[in-house]
Amino acid sequence: MTPFARHGDPIVAIATAPGRGAVGIVRVSGAGLAPFVQALLGRALRPREAHYLPFPDARGEAIDHGLALWFPAPHSYTGEDVLELQAHGGPVVLQLLLARCLGAAQGVLPRLRPAEPGEFTERAFLNDKIDLAQAEAVADLIDASTEAAARGAARSLSGAFSGEVHALRDALVRLRTLVEATLDFPEEEIDFLRKADARGQLSELQQSVAAVLRQARQGALLREGINVVIAGQPNAGKSSLLNALAGAERAIVTPIAGTTRDTVRESIQIDGVPLHVIDTAGLRASDDAVERIGIARAWEQIERADAVLFLHDLTRAHDGDYLRADAALARELGEKAPARAVVIDVWNKADAAPADAAARPVGGTSVALSALTGTGLAALRGALLRAAGWQATPEGLYVARARHLEALRAVAAHLDAAQALLDGDAPALDLLAEELRLAHHALGAITGEFTADDLLGTIFAQFCIGK
């Protein structure tokens, strides 16, 4: 049974991360918790005040001394009665407090149970304390891998993204109201829409959706980052480039061809955008069974890449056999890399290359650098950001998810269909009204106005327990 189906039960959980810490929190949420508080602590608590007191066990002996905070509904995170116990952050202490809460509930709060992942935040959503986009921002803030991503998630949590969506919704509702009102007066419908500037309203709405979609794409980059695969022939310097980008020795580097037998992954950031960089085995024909497995895994990573750094060796820029092998790899990359992936030609070993060796683009973008000295790395970082589609500074951005982008694209598609209907010689207003309704429905899925229960279960199952 999903937590959505059981949201009427009172719940309890340890709300701090596993392990030892200075402070640990046990949180309880539900309706009518006042008798439980009395049974657990032996006294009532004043709302929203910190009380320092012992946390007694069933025999009245103190498990620990700490702070208790009482938040009567609806003035709490979940919108229900909430009790928080802040104790010393030892795992045993917190487990004893959790067990004591479940024991004290017998007779006064018999349905109290351990919380499911994300159930506290889910209740905040169900009780209209936050919308679905803000609820997702809670998890995004916890999982943020860069400062820019954390700030973007905080903006989403504060309602920046939701505010944009609500503004689109209000404009769409006004247009829907206008169009649907004409259905009651068919003899005047076209003139009525013309006087109300329905075309102008629709055009302005389309532009607004496009602007929000552009911002959301940038926000999705802050959250998801991009998968970057370093590929090329053996000894081109792939592992050295990974180490240079990571700023640490993450991959083994030797002059022996075929040293890298498996993929090596490192997450870095460029201007706040997370990049998941994957070093792969050198691509060549091999009789070594282990190396062949590594090469097969390299192609698997390439097939899932958002960007491929096709590494070339400038010291071999005049070697005909090497260049022919590179050309064959370029053709294979064109066949196997996803259509969305950008291939950047990276000519390495600029520090050791002959004076007349020059980088030449095999595809579109070409960068010459030295992974050993760091020359050219800044240009490569800029090329990666452009390949990712990064166009904005982190200031003012909010984090967005793939499902938000899909919803906004659906809104745009329905508005385009509505535009085509409205521009027709004899507009079918019933179909126009339906396209606007579908656009409204897709938009409402972002904030949870129209959301299936199974989607809610999927979203909140990704949270940690106690949040």
Side-chain angles (χ1 to χ4, degrees), residues 5 9 56 66 124 185 261 287 323 363 381 447:
D9 294 346
F185 306 97
R261 299 296 187 95
D287 294 328
L323 295 178
R381 294 187 180 102
T447 55

Side-chain angles (χ1 to χ4, degrees), residues 80-225:
E80 303 173 330
D81 290 348
V82 170
L83 173 68
E84 286 193 357
L85 305 178
Q86 299 183 7
H88 292 94
V92 174
V93 171
L94 296 178
Q95 287 294 337
L96 287 172
L97 282 177
L98 179 64
R100 177 58 190 144
C101 286
L102 292 168
Q106 300 299 318
V108 294
L109 203 64
R111 293 170 59 194
L112 181 67
R113 59 171 176 80
E116 300 284 350
E119 196 167 359
F120 290 96
T121 303
E122 182 185 51
R123 292 186 178 204
F125 164 69
L126 293 174
N127 293 323
D128 295 324
K129 303 294 287 187
I130 54 177
D131 63 31
L132 191 57
Q134 290 174 294
E136 290 170 307
V138 173
D140 293 338
L141 184 58
I142 293 170
D143 295 335
S145 59
T146 69
E147 179 182 350
R151 291 184 181 278
R155 292 187 190 97
S156 288
L157 181 56
S158 68
F161 182 36
S162 300
E164 299 271 14
V165 173
H166 292 156
L168 294 176
R169 179 201 61 195
D170 293 344
L172 184 51
V173 167
R174 287 194 297 271
L175 185 56
R176 283 190 66 190
T177 302
L178 174 64
V179 171
E180 292 179 7
T182 65
L183 296 176
D184 295 329
F185 306 97
E187 69 282 357
E188 301 177 7
E189 57 189 22
I190 303 303
D191 187 54
F192 183 71
L193 290 177
R194 186 181 298 112
K195 289 181 179 179
D197 192 24
R199 282 186 176 84
Q201 290 189 43
L202 179 55
S203 177
E204 185 176 340
L205 183 56
Q206 287 174 297
Q207 294 174 25
S208 297
V209 170
V212 174
L213 182 55
R214 285 193 297 271
Q215 282 282 89
R217 287 195 191 102
Q218 301 296 291
L221 279 176
L222 286 181
R223 180 181 185 271
E224 305 289 347

Side-chain angles (χ1 to χ4, degrees), residues 1-21:
M1 182 180 295
T2 66
F4 179 76
R6 298 194 293 165
H7 68 269
D9 294 346
I11 53 174
V12 59
I14 297 171
T16 41
R20 299 168 61 189

